[in-house]
Amino acid sequence: MKILGIETSCDETAAAVVEDGHKVLSSAIASQIDIHKKTGGVVPEVAAREHILKIMPVIEQALSEANSTWDDIDAIAAVNEPGLISALLTGFVTAKTLAMAKGKKLIPINHIFAHIYGNWCERNPKDFKFPILILTVSGGHNELVFMRDHDNFEVVGESRDDAAGEAFDKVAKLLGLDYPGGPAIQKTAQEGNDLKFALPIAKVDGLDFSFSGLKTAVLYEVQRKYGKDFNPSELDKEFVNDMAASFQKTATQTLIEKLAKAVDKYDPKEIHLAGGVSANLLLREKAQKRLGTIKFPQDIKYCTDNAAMVASYGYFKTMV
Ligand code: KG4
Ligand code: ZN
């Protein structure tokens, strides 16, 4: 069974064809990163306009790279929540129209749960054992999810303010680093001393998270050294390297503490990392050191926004 996935919730216009929920036949993405670099973040109206321009070419690319025609497609899975509303609309209305015109079943998909299926892409579905505990973290969301079976999710912890990826992006911006912040901070941190700044791990009850205090602590350290009207592009390199390393250490530690607490409470058969931040190498390393075998997406392209995870979820949501 072949499903066409469509994703337009934020700044990637993506389409993919996935067979039986795990064989990725194609995964096409038109990234808007270069456009949003200029503003250091996503401007929703700009993102929506780009989606309109790119959605049909990206769908055609996904079909052609999968050597498929519309006759081969059994259903269309498209993200309809949550995300930037004008961006979501482009993908979902396109999917709805195509589903009607081509006579295909339409499967609405939740973006947060779709990220979880990034782990099924290019893995044998027989190699999974439920229940699974997932830390799914990106720029727009930050959750601990207990998954008893396919499409059976319980959100057991979430961020009360910023998502961890959002904190990476905002800290990168105030350190004068590139957008998106996660990869930029990871790279810069390699040169830095992670003991240089003692940043706070938020104390939040239960399994919830908070990242706004950490972001503000970084801002105060920068202001203490460079004054309130500092210019991010004028910070010295050593300061930026050390701050990136100290921030990355604290942010990943905050995530791991809660993941470990949730593992104790729920005693899952498997532990997964998912979402854009699961691309972070320090997070992966620390999680494995503390908790043993962990699954994270087979390829970094299935951590960040993509449509293969959407098609995979569409399959397991309706076919299993
Ligand atoms: O899943 P995603 O593509 O979009 C959302 O659903 O938000 O995640 C993007 C987020 C950004 O905040 C980005 O900075 C973060 O994932 N990210 C990383 C890394 N790669 C991407 N964060 C930390 N380390 C990385 N290597
Ligand atoms: Zn996402």
Side-chain angles (χ1 to χ4, degrees):
M1 166 153 305
K2 286 183 189 171
I3 294 192
L4 172 73
I6 296 178
E7 151 66 39
T8 62
S9 68
C10 188
D11 57 350
E12 322 278 2
T13 315
V17 179
V18 176
E19 191 170 7
D20 298 337
H22 69 112
K23 278 180 238 149
V24 181
L25 304 183
S26 66
S27 183
I29 297 188
S31 173
Q32 302 177 5
I33 283 182
D34 286 343
I35 294 165
H36 300 302
K37 260 187 182 147
K38 291 180 200 136
T39 42
V42 180
V43 177
E45 287 72 21
V46 175
R49 201 168 52 227
E50 279 303 302
H51 286 310
I52 291 170
L53 295 174
K54 299 286 163 55
I55 186 75
M56 283 314 296
V58 166
I59 290 172
E60 276 154 21
Q61 185 189 342
L63 287 172
S64 123
E65 284 176 7
N67 284 325
S68 301
T69 66
W70 281 107
D71 288 342
D72 303 315
I73 300 298
D74 297 287
I76 302 175
V79 171
N80 69 335
E81 58 158 359
L84 303 173
I85 197 73
S86 49
L88 283 167
L89 263 176
T90 308
F92 198 68
V93 171
T94 304
K96 214 166 163 178
T97 311
L98 287 170
M100 266 195 301
K102 308 284 183 191
K104 309 290 174 189
K105 180 184 170 78
L106 175 68
I107 312 165
I109 293 289
N110 175 296
H111 179 84
I112 297 174
F113 300 140
H115 266 295
I116 289 173
Y117 281 91
N119 270 312
W120 267 263
C121 295
E122 295 179 23
R123 275 201 179 101
N124 187 342
K126 290 192 180 118
D127 294 340
F128 289 79
K129 286 195 179 63
F130 292 105
I132 301 170
L133 186 77
I134 305 119
L135 173 70
T136 177
V137 184
S138 76
H141 65 88
N142 195 118
E143 274 94 19
L144 277 164
V145 178
F146 189 55
M147 183 180 185
R148 291 186 174 83
D149 203 342
H150 283 297
D151 199 30
N152 180 340
F153 307 105
E154 185 186 347
V155 176
V156 297
E158 62 194 344
S159 179
R160 296 194 180 165
D161 39 57
D162 295 352
E166 194 179 350
F168 270 89
D169 294 338
K170 287 179 177 165
V171 165
K173 193 172 180 179
L174 66 91
L175 294 179
L177 299 172
D178 256 356
Y179 170 85
I185 287 194
Q186 176 171 289
K187 185 158 173 267
T188 309
Q190 284 171 355
E191 314 287 323
N193 172 4
D194 64 5
L195 298 171
K196 187 74 187 221
F197 299 99
L199 299 171
I201 291 193
K203 297 208 171 12
V204 186
D205 289 344
L207 296 174
D208 282 350
F209 304 82
S210 166
F211 284 96
S212 68
L214 173 57
K215 177 192 68 192
T216 308
V218 173
L219 175 67
Y220 287 164
E221 288 289 351
V222 178
Q223 287 181 336
R224 189 156 53 193
K225 176 144 193 222
Y226 293 96
K228 276 208 159 38
D229 299 322
F230 71 92
N231 179 347
S233 62
E234 287 172 4
L235 311 186
D236 71 273
K237 204 167 175 321
E238 193 182 333
F239 177 89
V240 171
N241 293 347
D242 293 345
M243 185 56 85
S246 304
F247 166 78
Q248 182 179 238
K249 182 183 77 173
T250 313
T252 50
Q253 198 56 34
T254 308
L255 292 168
I256 298 289
E257 294 296 338
K258 293 289 171 155
L259 176 60
K261 201 168 170 183
V263 168
D264 275 351
K265 182 166 176 191
Y266 288 92
D267 193 23
K269 291 224 166 66
E270 291 188 15
I271 304 165
H272 294 186
L273 301 179
V277 180
S278 71
N280 189 274
L281 299 176
L282 185 66
L283 179 71
R284 292 174 173 192
E285 190 187 304
K286 278 186 176 175
Q288 278 174 318
K289 222 179 202 166
R290 173 96 175 247
L291 298 162
T293 308
I294 303 260
K295 278 195 179 91
F296 39 79
Q298 290 279 47
D299 193 300
I300 285 192
K301 66 184 184 215
Y302 305 130
C303 296
T304 46
D305 287 347
N306 66 89
M309 65 186 193
V310 175
S312 170
Y313 181 20
Y315 174 82
F316 289 107
K317 192 177 165 90
T318 53
M319 307 304 161
V320 179

